[in-house]
Amino acid sequence: SAMRSKIPFGIYNLGCGRPIRLDEMVEALGQALGKTPKLDRPPKASGDVFLTYADISRAKADFQYAPRVSFQEGLRRSVESTA
């Protein structure tokens, strides 16, 4: 049966619980795909995101969520499962 909770619904961020730089994310994706990324780095534009972070505090508080794999391992597994 589904997990029962006093929380009727909610939006939760799930992630590794630490900030990831965009270049780190691209490098990890390249490693998972066995490719060397070729980055074209144009000048910074307004609104560019260079760091991303999933705030997992709600998931921790409501469901005792705790990441079990690193970002790199999770990405590798995701790529592997879609190959």
Side-chain angles (χ1 to χ4, degrees), residues 27 29-37:
E27 180 67 29
L29 181 58
Q31 287 178 354
L33 292 169
K35 306 283 184 183
T36 301

Side-chain angles (χ1 to χ4, degrees), residues 50-81:
F50 294 96
L51 185 73
T52 184
Y53 177 68
D55 180 355
I56 61 174
S57 59
R58 273 187 76 191
K60 280 184 173 182
D62 292 350
F63 304 112
Q64 293 74 49
Y65 171 77
R68 295 185 200 170
V69 299
S70 68
F71 170 77
Q72 290 80 0
E73 177 63 15
L75 187 58
R76 186 194 66 74
R77 290 181 186 185
S78 294
V79 167
E80 192 175 86
S81 72

Side-chain angles (χ1 to χ4, degrees), residues 1 4 6 11-12 17 19 25 29-31 33 40 43 46 48 50 58-59 67-68 74 77 79:
S1 73
R4 297 192 186 264
K6 294 181 181 183
I11 297 172
Y12 295 87
M25 188 180 299
L29 181 58
Q31 287 178 354
L33 292 169
D40 179 13
S46 176
D48 279 356
F50 294 96
R58 273 187 76 191
R68 295 185 200 170
R77 290 181 186 185
V79 167

Side-chain angles (χ1 to χ4, degrees), residues 6-32:
K6 294 181 181 183
I7 305 163
F9 62 89
I11 297 172
Y12 295 87
N13 289 318
L14 302 179
C16 66
R18 71 171 184 87
I20 304 285
R21 291 186 331 270
L22 181 58
D23 60 339
E24 182 182 357
M25 188 180 299
V26 170
E27 180 67 29
L29 181 58
Q31 287 178 354

